[in-house]
């Protein structure tokens, strides 16, 4: 039996390749950068599996070109690049990589939070510039993190990992989510629930951890920024489109909020020029980018693919209904 043919839009890591090699015949995209769309559409024509990054849209246009496709395995936890309903309609299993990146992403939300509060980007630029003349009492004074109130919007695995880190900073942690966890979880994590508007008014730092869904697109709009404290900071490591970027720029320009730490943007890799300001720390979507975590993500995607082609249920299938009919 020939092995099923798979296209991977990245060279992945050796450990992931080893997982795949036993049961799949994989063609890897190993050139620098992301493959052009035409290349992906060409590659999927004959393939039964696709391993892709969040830069590839798995939509009707792609699925139409891929009549033999049985699985689209995303190397990411967020899967807003995948039209899961379209996959289901065509009997294609869609998978993601939940669980392995929570702590790493939480670390990075904190990296942004501390960097923007303590003006690290400005300080580093000054330190490297050769223009640093002397220590001064009011030089690059930022704002304290310790003892402040952290508001977490979206209290899933990553939001909770962010909350756990706050206790060392003696912070009060409040959260909002459509689904409230059991009381024991709130107690254990020492967090209090707030309705969104109360959280906006009370928080010194707001860290966003919701997935991008129709109901969370543009969640942070002008009225939300108006409700925030003028001394508060917005941290976003979720998806750029959860924030209305033009409204954020307006809020920063008019001093409605104090600053932002951003890893994600509405139209990546484009970054709204109005965000390139001293009180905004910008990162290029790297919250999960530790070697340990990215390796695990690639392995999980590989395991999902191997599971499907060896007659097992892919552990992270998003549309299990397709498995029943195949
Ligand atoms: C990264 O943004 C991911 O969704 O895994």
């Amino acid at each position: 039996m020939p092995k099923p043919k798979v296209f991977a839009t990245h060279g992945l890591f050796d450990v992931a390749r080893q997982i795949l090699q036993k049961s799949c015949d994989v063609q890897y995209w190993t050139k620098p950068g992301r493959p052009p769309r035409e290349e992906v559409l060409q590659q999927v024509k004959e393939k039964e599996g696709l391993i892709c990054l969040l830069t590839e849209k798995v939509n009707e246009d792609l699925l139409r070109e891929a009549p033999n496709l049985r699985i689209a395995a995303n190397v990411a936890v967020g899967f807003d690049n995948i039209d899961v309903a379209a996959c289901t309609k065509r009997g294609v299993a869609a998978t993601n990589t939940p669980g392995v990146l929570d702590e790493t992403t939480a670390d990075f939300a904190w990296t942004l939070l501390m960097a923007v509060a303590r003006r690290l980007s400005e300080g580093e630029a000054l330190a490297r510039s050769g223009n640093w003349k002397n220590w001064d009492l009011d030089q690059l004074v930022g704002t304290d993190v310790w003892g402040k109130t952290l508001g977490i919007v979206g209290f899933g695995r990553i939001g909770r990992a962010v909350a756990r880190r706050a206790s060392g900073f003696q912070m009060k942690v409040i959260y909002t989510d459509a689904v409230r966890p059991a009381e024991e979880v709130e107690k254990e994590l020492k967090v209090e629930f707030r309705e969104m508007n109360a959280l906006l008014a009370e928080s010194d730092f707001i860290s966003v951890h919701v997935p991008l869904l129709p109901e969370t697109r543009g969640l942070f709009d002008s009225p939300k920024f108006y409700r925030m404290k003028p001394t508060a900071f917005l941290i976003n490591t979720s998806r750029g489109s959860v924030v209305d970027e033009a409204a954020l720029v307006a809020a920063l320009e008019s001093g409605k909020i104090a600053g932002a730490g951003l890893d994600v943007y509405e139209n990546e890799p484009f970054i709204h020029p109005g965000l390139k300001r001293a009180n905004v720390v910008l990162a290029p979507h790297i919250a999960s980018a530790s070697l340990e975590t990215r390796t695990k993500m690639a392995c999980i995607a590989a395991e999902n693919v191997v599971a499907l082609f060896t007659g097992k249920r892919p552990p992270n299938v998003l549309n299990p209904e397709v498995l029943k009919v195949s």
Side-chain angles (χ1 to χ4, degrees), residues 54 76-78 101 239 285 288 297:
L54 49 79
V77 64
L101 49 77
R239 283 292 183 266
H285 203 151
S288 65
M297 288 162 68

Side-chain angles (χ1 to χ4, degrees), residues 61-239:
D61 290 349
L62 181 143
L63 294 167
R64 204 180 304 121
E65 300 295 323
N68 302 329
L69 199 68
R70 293 184 53 207
I71 182 163
N74 214 25
V75 190
V77 64
F79 52 90
D80 43 285
N81 58 313
I82 298 189
D83 183 339
V84 179
C87 285
T88 306
K89 213 168 74 194
R90 289 181 177 267
V92 176
T95 63
N96 69 339
T97 64
V100 289
L101 49 77
D102 307 336
E103 303 298 332
T104 304
T105 303
D107 281 352
F108 200 75
W110 274 92
T111 305
L112 291 175
L113 188 158
M114 289 197 274
V116 72
R118 299 301 303 273
R119 304 178 63 177
L120 180 62
S121 300
E122 293 170 86
E124 210 215 7
L126 178 61
R128 285 176 187 258
S129 71
N131 295 327
W132 184 40
K133 301 284 187 299
N134 46 261
W135 189 93
D136 218 336
L137 191 60
D138 57 355
Q139 190 170 60
L140 286 174
V141 291
T143 183
D144 273 332
V145 170
W146 75 273
K148 296 282 176 66
T149 297
L150 171 64
I152 296 179
V153 175
F155 206 55
R157 289 182 308 264
I158 300 174
R160 293 175 199 199
V162 169
R164 274 200 305 277
R165 283 158 174 73
S167 66
F169 291 87
Q170 301 157 56
M171 293 175 94
K172 174 173 178 179
V173 184
I174 56 180
Y175 79 93
T176 194
D177 198 302
V179 186
R180 266 186 87 166
E183 226 173 279
E184 302 84 74
V185 175
E186 291 186 354
K187 276 209 188 101
E188 188 205 318
L189 295 176
K190 300 189 184 64
V191 297
E192 291 173 25
F193 175 82
R194 293 286 187 279
E195 295 296 343
M196 175 66 101
N197 286 346
L199 178 139
L200 294 170
E202 205 176 326
S203 301
D204 298 304
F205 298 93
I206 294 182
S207 194
V208 187
H209 301 287
V210 292
L212 178 61
L213 301 168
E215 55 274 30
T216 59
R217 188 175 286 279
L219 177 70
F220 275 81
D221 54 6
S222 303
K224 297 257 181 345
F225 294 123
Y226 268 83
R227 288 180 191 276
M228 284 172 65
K229 293 182 185 176
T231 49
F233 296 86
L234 180 78
I235 311 299
N236 189 11
T237 52
S238 63
R239 283 292 183 266

Side-chain angles (χ1 to χ4, degrees), residues 266-307:
E266 259 180 1
N267 298 303
E268 294 175 11
F270 173 78
I271 298 181
H272 193 304
L275 293 173
K276 296 177 183 170
R277 333 165 29 93
N279 58 346
V280 181
V281 173
L282 302 168
H285 203 151
I286 53 170
S288 65
S290 69
L291 182 59
E292 298 92 325
T293 290
R294 287 285 169 88
T295 307
K296 282 185 204 148
M297 288 162 68
C299 288
I300 288 183
E303 280 157 8
N304 278 306
V305 169
V306 169

Side-chain angles (χ1 to χ4, degrees), residues 35-43:
R37 182 71 173 165
E38 311 80 68
E39 175 75 22
V40 179
L41 296 183
Q42 186 58 35
Q43 285 290 347

